[in-house]
């Protein structure tokens, strides 16, 4: 399981296909809040923290970028 303290503001979020999903704004209530400045619609989006597979210089998701963007709130 990913530790929330490993996820930092402005980290890139990528799908398991290596494609860009968004940028971390912060972690809030067990969810990744994505930066609205990086979203195509200019709004904040959220992904469950459980979708994060691992963290290195990026947050890597356990799903494709297309699936993640289809599922975000």
């Amino acid at each position: 399981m990913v530790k929330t303290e490993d996820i930092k503001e402005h980290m890139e979020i990528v799908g398991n296909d290596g494609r860009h999903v968004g940028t971390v704004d912060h972690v809030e209530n067990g969810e990744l809040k994505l930066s609205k400045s990086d979203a195509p619609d200019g709004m904040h989006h959220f992904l469950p923290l459980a979708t994060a597979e691992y963290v290195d210089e990026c947050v890597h998701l356990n799903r494709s970028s297309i699936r993640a963007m289809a599922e975000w709130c």
Side-chain angles (χ1 to χ4, degrees), residues 11-45:
M11 290 181 98
E12 181 181 18
I13 301 169
V14 296
N16 61 9
D17 54 5
R19 297 185 70 187
H20 180 81
V21 172
T23 304
V24 174
D25 188 77
H26 63 275
V27 177
E28 179 178 296
N29 300 321
E31 295 185 305
L32 294 167
K33 184 176 184 180
L34 284 68
S35 173
K36 66 181 180 181
S37 63
D38 194 30
D41 60 2
M43 298 182 68
H44 286 289
H45 294 281

